[in-house]
Amino acid sequence: MNDAFETRMRMLSKTGLRIIDTPSPPDVPSALEAIQRVASMEVAPAVVISQNSPDAITALDRAWYKQARENSIFDSADTFLLFTAGPGGERLGWTTVQWTQTARLSPHLQDQDSPEFIAMSVDGCRLCAATTEEYDYWIVTHHFTPEAK
């Protein structure tokens, strides 16, 4: 697990996000629950960007940020929870991070050369994810109902 943790911290440090050294709240949905909401067969993406689009990764990053803002992922201090795909990801769960003006997530949070990450509001009510589906990048949003949390 140390190796997976170190790999995640190196990946996150490249994004420009500020890593906050506080555990995620115990009552938020688990990373696995969030993955299930993003990977469900019934998921309809909020945004679709063709991988063949010029500057597709930059467009994905901009669109993700816009959706994250519109879906209240950031708290008043621009803090949120982040899950990154990859080895050991589910065991590590959420990392608390803070948005910065220089942050770029999509180029750095990739699993097997594909952007894959889920952001969740600190209260565990909303998520905004970037994922790769065949020839497109998807942004998926989800609002957890109180009984689903």
Side-chain angles (χ1 to χ4, degrees), residues 5-148:
F5 177 78
E6 289 172 16
T7 299
R8 177 181 282 183
M9 290 303 114
R10 276 194 306 273
M11 188 183 329
L12 288 176
S13 70
K14 293 177 184 177
T15 65
L17 294 169
R18 184 172 295 118
I19 299 168
I20 307 297
D21 191 21
T22 58
S24 60
D27 57 343
V28 300
S30 70
L32 181 57
E33 290 172 286
I35 291 167
Q36 290 170 340
R37 297 305 188 276
V38 172
S40 167
M41 294 296 280
E42 293 85 36
V43 166
V47 177
V48 176
I49 298 168
S50 170
Q51 291 180 24
N52 296 325
S53 300
D55 298 321
I57 293 292
T58 299
L60 175 63
D61 229 37
R62 284 189 195 127
W64 176 86
Y65 179 77
K66 181 177 187 272
Q67 287 296 311
R69 282 282 175 209
E70 289 176 0
N71 286 278
S72 301
I73 300 302
F74 305 100
D75 69 7
S76 62
D78 282 342
T79 302
F80 60 102
L81 305 175
L82 187 64
F83 170 79
T84 58
E90 287 180 42
R91 284 192 319 269
L92 293 172
W94 300 106
T95 301
T96 305
V97 296
Q98 184 178 42
W99 184 260
T100 67
Q101 292 303 313
T102 60
R104 295 218 37 224
L105 278 57
S106 300
H108 305 291
L109 300 180
Q110 298 194 12
D111 183 37
Q112 300 177 8
D113 298 324
S114 295
E116 298 285 341
F117 58 91
I118 303 172
M120 182 176 293
S121 57
V122 176
D123 65 6
C125 292
R126 297 161 304 282
L127 70 75
C128 184
T131 188
T132 304
E133 297 296 329
E134 294 190 18
Y135 305 107
D136 297 316
Y137 298 126
W138 284 13
I139 298 171
V140 175
T141 60
H142 180 77
H143 293 212
F144 288 92
T145 57
E147 61 275 359

